[in-house]
Amino acid sequence: MAEEKANVAEVEETTAAPETKKETQPQQDPQEYLENFDWEKYEEGIERVDDKKLKEFETLVEENFVDTADEEVVEGKVVHMTDREAIIDINAKSEGVISLNEFRYNPDLKVGDKVEVLIDIREDKTGQLVLSHRKARTIKAWERVNNAHDKEEIVTGFVKCRTKGGMIVDVFGIEAFLPGSQIDVKPIRDYDQYVGKTMEFKVVKINHEFKNVVVSHKALIEADIEEQKKEIIGQLEKGQVLEGIVKNITSYGVFIDLGGVDGLVHITDLSWSRINHPNEVVELDQKLNVVILDFDDNKSRIQLGLKQLEKHPWDALGDEIKVGDKVKGKVVVIADYGAFIEVAEGVEGLIHVSEMSWSTHLRSAQDFVNVGDEVEAVVLTLDREDRKMSLGIKQLSPDPWTDITSKYPVGSKHKGIVRNFTNFGVFVELEEGIDGLIYISDLSWTKKIKHPSEFVTVGDTLEVEVLELDVEGRKLSLGHKQTTENPWDKYSEEFAEGTIHKAAIAEVVDKGATINFNEDIVGFVPQRHMEKEDGKKLQKGEEAEFKIIEFNKDFKRVVASHTAIFREQEEKNVKAAKKRSSSSDEAAPTLGDANSQLQALKDKMEADSKKK
């Protein structure tokens, strides 16, 4: 600046020199003065400067002063800094001031650093040069971002804040988007830890239309990991033990990061014991050793194991356990066919549902035990080579069939609970482990039952009689109707053929109708026996007299007729009329006597009809 001011002073001195000489020059002749008069100086008002010196002055200005045109980006130098501002020298007439807020992305800014600035205003009201670093960065940012994207260069950005799905990063003054999936190769659980950090990124996508920029930090890591991955994959062998970090936990297994290569430990390969979820065994970011169990041809899918690093529990099972021993364990899994009991860590035995109760009427395992129950059982089979064990619970109690002949002899009566139906009968439980079958024909003496559910329901208590006993086959044949007297024995006389009973038509069917004589006896009336004296048919609900024309105790069949009632009376009246007619012939009755007799007969028949 001193040099520039000296040059200016020299120019001013040069232009002022002629005036000084003018004052000291002696008086000249007017004619001579007019001839030598400088008309250009007079017209311009200034002393003419030598062209050589003027050229030198222009060169100095061009070299030392910037053209401070508005909206122009120039390079400046930080000459001074305060708590709030930075003083920038751009070789102009004055220095500019920029707020430090525009340099938040660069906390290391110091005196002497060169920065790009935009000349907003050459001179404000106070004569101050107004500069902007933020605007200068924005103008230059797109050029730099495009160059970085095209040349795949690494850029530095400042993580400003969180946003939906990722972070906002300041790159060259442009707000770029950093997706959550592009922060690191492993899942990020705390995004806030990156806010306020300056990190390196790679520009992966630019949308010029919407001025959007997407950056990735993961891409830089993957480049290094890819080299490690190739090296690791090339050395993979089955049975190899590697150290890894738990990367992700799912319901079906755990993903392990082996240093750029991911492998899966299936839930069944985490522990010799049964587990409900992998988080019972491992946790995120945990370091552990795993063994390689298998992988595909290109080694992109690697199957790992954790439990294989430990000795199998069956190998550590003591010789003291043998068939017939009692063991205790916890119910770990229940299926319809049985329950698995863990008798030692990683050692399980199956209790089949048939071994849970002496009852031959099988039920579900849930009816006996629940997951988590502590149970005692007897070892039924033990196969150490195949690592299988079968257990039983019912063996802890006496077999109820041991003294079955003394407890349930044929002909004895008992009470039982209806447990199940079949199309042909009912299963009744006399006690735990003792079930018997009542055939449908042995449920009632009188009722015609199509299905047992018409007679009883599950859970009902029935009185039964033991009809048959098969000890070897463990079968009991029971009867319910045998516990009561057979009503057909007493009805054989009451409803004998020829007896007459009064009843109402209960139901009309295709071939006739049914009538209920009482709660036990249901009779059938064929259609031809439903005709009344007036020729009409009996209808449902109509009451009349019926004559029993068939009674079969063995087949429980009763057939009745209404027509037979008045047909029999008609036959009697006809016979009586014939008899009187023959008597009158012998007495030679007159025509008047005959008429009177016919009238009497008619009156009698009408009277009999009314009585009926």
Side-chain angles (χ1 to χ4, degrees):
M1 290 294 292
E3 184 181 351
E4 295 169 5
K5 293 176 181 179
N7 293 332
V8 174
E10 183 180 347
V11 173
E12 293 176 350
E13 182 180 349
T14 305
T15 57
E19 293 185 3
T20 305
K21 292 179 181 179
K22 182 181 176 183
E23 294 176 358
T24 57
Q25 286 179 352
Q27 293 292 329
Q28 295 181 354
D29 181 67
Q31 185 65 32
E32 184 181 358
Y33 176 78
L34 289 173
E35 291 177 358
N36 296 326
F37 186 75
D38 191 345
W39 291 101
E40 184 178 354
K41 175 181 176 183
Y42 173 76
E43 291 174 357
E44 296 295 334
I46 60 173
E47 181 80 20
R48 180 179 179 83
V49 182
D50 184 65
D51 291 340
K52 182 179 180 181
K53 291 185 178 182
L54 187 60
K55 188 67 175 177
E56 290 178 1
F57 176 75
E58 291 175 353
T59 302
L60 288 173
V61 171
E62 186 178 348
E63 291 177 354
N64 293 281
F65 288 90
V66 297
D67 183 7
T68 57
D70 294 346
E71 301 297 325
E72 183 178 355
V73 177
V74 297
E75 187 176 74
K77 182 178 181 182
V78 179
V79 295
H80 184 68
M81 292 179 64
T82 67
D83 293 339
R84 300 174 60 183
E85 298 171 328
I87 311 301
I88 310 297
D89 179 15
I90 62 169
N91 286 335
K93 290 183 179 180
S94 61
E95 295 165 338
V97 178
I98 299 178
S99 172
L100 289 180
N101 287 334
E102 297 191 23
F103 296 98
R104 280 190 301 175
Y105 75 96
N106 184 12
D108 299 327
L109 183 70
K110 61 185 181 298
V111 174
D113 287 351
K114 291 185 178 182
V115 294
E116 290 178 338
V117 296
L118 177 74
I119 301 172
D120 256 354
I121 304 175
R122 286 179 293 179
E123 190 173 324
D124 62 5
K125 293 179 181 180
T126 62
Q128 179 67 54
L129 177 64
V130 180
L131 305 177
S132 173
H133 177 62
R134 182 184 293 111
K135 291 182 179 180
R137 289 185 72 216
T138 303
I139 292 173
K140 292 290 186 179
W142 278 103
E143 180 180 346
R144 293 175 178 175
V145 165
N146 280 281
N147 289 337
H149 178 262
D150 296 339
K151 297 179 181 179
E152 297 186 354
E153 294 178 346
I154 298 174
V155 299
T156 302
F158 176 76
V159 182
K160 297 178 65 175
C161 61
R162 280 193 60 178
T163 188
K164 185 178 180 180
M167 317 288 288
I168 298 297
V169 180
D170 185 329
V171 179
F172 302 136
I174 294 176
E175 288 191 346
F177 177 60
L178 172 63
S181 61
Q182 296 298 315
I183 298 176
D184 205 336
V185 290
K186 60 183 179 180
I188 302 300
R189 289 174 286 279
D190 181 16
Y191 285 77
D192 292 332
Q193 63 179 315
Y194 294 95
V195 176
K197 287 188 176 181
T198 299
M199 303 170 60
E200 290 184 337
F201 302 98
K202 186 176 181 181
V203 180
V204 294
K205 185 177 180 181
I206 297 178
N207 188 320
H208 294 278
E209 181 180 357
F210 296 101
K211 299 294 183 182
N212 291 336
V213 178
V214 180
V215 296
S216 171
H217 180 68
K218 177 182 176 181
L220 301 179
I221 303 174
E222 285 179 335
D224 296 332
I225 289 179
E226 191 63 30
E227 295 299 323
Q228 299 178 18
K229 185 175 180 179
K230 291 180 181 178
E231 184 178 351
I232 293 173
I233 289 178
Q235 299 175 356
L236 288 182
E237 293 180 2
K238 293 181 182 180
Q240 184 180 9
V241 178
L242 298 173
E243 183 182 65
I245 299 176
V246 177
K247 181 178 180 180
N248 191 20
I249 299 176
T250 67
S251 59
Y252 56 86
V254 179
F255 287 94
I256 306 296
D257 183 359
L258 302 174
V261 180
D262 289 348
L264 173 65
V265 182
H266 195 269
I267 187 172
T268 57
D269 291 317
L270 284 171
S271 173
W272 291 113
S273 301
R274 290 182 184 265
I275 57 175
N276 296 318
H277 197 276
N279 56 20
E280 298 176 16
V281 180
V282 297
E283 58 185 19
L284 287 172
D285 299 327
Q286 179 182 350
K287 285 186 178 182
L288 44 78
N289 290 329
V290 290
V291 61
I292 298 176
L293 302 180
D294 200 1
F295 45 76
D296 56 7
D297 294 338
N298 57 8
K299 299 181 181 179
S300 60
R301 300 180 64 180
I302 305 171
Q303 182 181 346
L304 306 174
L306 181 63
K307 71 180 184 181
Q308 287 77 5
L309 296 176
E310 300 176 356
K311 189 177 181 181
H312 197 289
W314 272 90
D315 298 333
L317 189 65
D319 296 333
E320 65 275 6
I321 296 180
K322 56 186 182 298
V323 174
D325 288 349
K326 294 181 181 179
V327 293
K328 290 184 178 180
K330 183 173 69 174
V331 179
V332 291
V333 174
I334 293 181
D336 290 337
Y337 56 85
F340 288 92
I341 311 299
E342 188 176 52
V343 298
E345 186 177 358
V347 178
E348 296 177 2
L350 171 65
I351 304 179
H352 194 269
V353 67
S354 62
E355 302 298 339
M356 292 183 174
S357 170
W358 288 109
S359 175
T360 55
H361 175 57
L362 298 182
R363 285 170 277 174
S364 175
Q366 287 91 335
D367 297 333
F368 299 95
V369 294
N370 297 310
V371 174
D373 288 352
E374 294 286 343
V375 297
E376 186 177 24
V378 176
V379 179
L380 303 181
T381 63
L382 182 63
D383 189 340
R384 294 180 182 272
E385 291 185 2
D386 291 338
R387 295 169 177 170
K388 293 181 180 180
M389 181 190 303
S390 62
L391 308 172
I393 295 179
K394 70 182 185 181
Q395 288 76 11
L396 296 173
S397 59
D399 185 353
W401 282 82
T402 303
D403 55 351
I404 189 72
T405 53
S406 60
K407 291 172 65 177
Y408 301 100
V410 174
S412 60
K413 292 182 173 60
H414 310 274
K415 287 186 178 181
I417 299 175
V418 177
R419 291 301 185 190
N420 196 13
F421 293 145
T422 66
N423 291 331
F424 53 84
V426 180
F427 283 99
V428 177
E429 184 182 59
L430 300 179
E431 64 174 83
E432 181 70 27
I434 303 295
D435 291 346
L437 174 64
I438 304 176
Y439 283 98
I440 196 170
S441 59
D442 289 321
L443 286 173
S444 174
W445 289 111
T446 57
K447 294 182 179 179
K448 292 184 178 180
I449 303 170
K450 296 181 179 179
H451 192 273
S453 59
E454 301 173 7
F455 188 78
V456 292
T457 58
V458 174
D460 286 352
T461 300
L462 276 185
E463 190 172 355
V464 296
E465 180 179 319
V466 179
L467 304 181
E468 294 181 12
L469 176 61
D470 182 358
V471 179
E472 293 183 359
R474 290 176 176 257
K475 293 180 180 180
L476 269 178
S477 179
L478 306 175
H480 172 66
K481 71 181 185 181
Q482 289 79 3
T483 60
T484 60
E485 183 182 358
N486 188 349
W488 290 88
D489 292 338
K490 64 179 181 180
Y491 293 143
S492 59
E493 293 182 5
E494 183 180 352
F495 293 91
E497 293 182 7
T499 58
I500 297 175
H501 305 271
K502 196 171 186 179
I505 299 294
E507 293 289 342
V508 177
V509 295
D510 293 340
K511 296 183 179 181
T514 59
I515 51 178
N516 298 323
F517 290 114
N518 56 37
E519 61 179 6
D520 296 326
I521 302 298
V522 177
F524 177 71
V525 183
Q527 276 192 358
R528 60 190 181 88
H529 289 280
M530 293 176 63
E531 185 178 347
K532 296 188 291 184
E533 191 173 1
D534 59 2
K536 296 181 179 180
K537 297 278 187 180
L538 289 170
Q539 301 298 318
K540 181 178 179 180
E542 190 173 353
E543 193 174 56
E545 286 186 338
F546 296 91
K547 183 178 181 180
I548 305 300
I549 58 178
E550 182 184 349
F551 182 86
N552 191 316
K553 183 178 73 172
D554 296 331
F555 293 99
K556 300 179 180 61
R557 177 179 173 85
V558 177
V559 181
S561 172
H562 171 68
T563 306
I565 297 290
F566 68 84
R567 287 277 171 84
E568 183 179 0
Q569 186 62 44
E570 287 179 354
E571 290 176 359
K572 286 180 181 181
N573 292 338
V574 171
K575 286 181 181 180
K578 287 181 179 180
K579 185 176 182 181
R580 284 193 295 270
S581 177
S582 60
S583 299
S584 62
D585 289 343
E586 292 176 358
T590 63
L591 181 60
D593 292 337
N595 289 334
S596 62
Q597 288 178 358
L598 288 173
Q599 183 63 42
L601 179 60
K602 183 178 180 181
D603 293 341
K604 187 177 184 305
M605 290 179 66
E606 289 178 354
D608 292 341
S609 177
K610 289 180 180 180
K611 288 179 181 179
K612 294 178 180 178

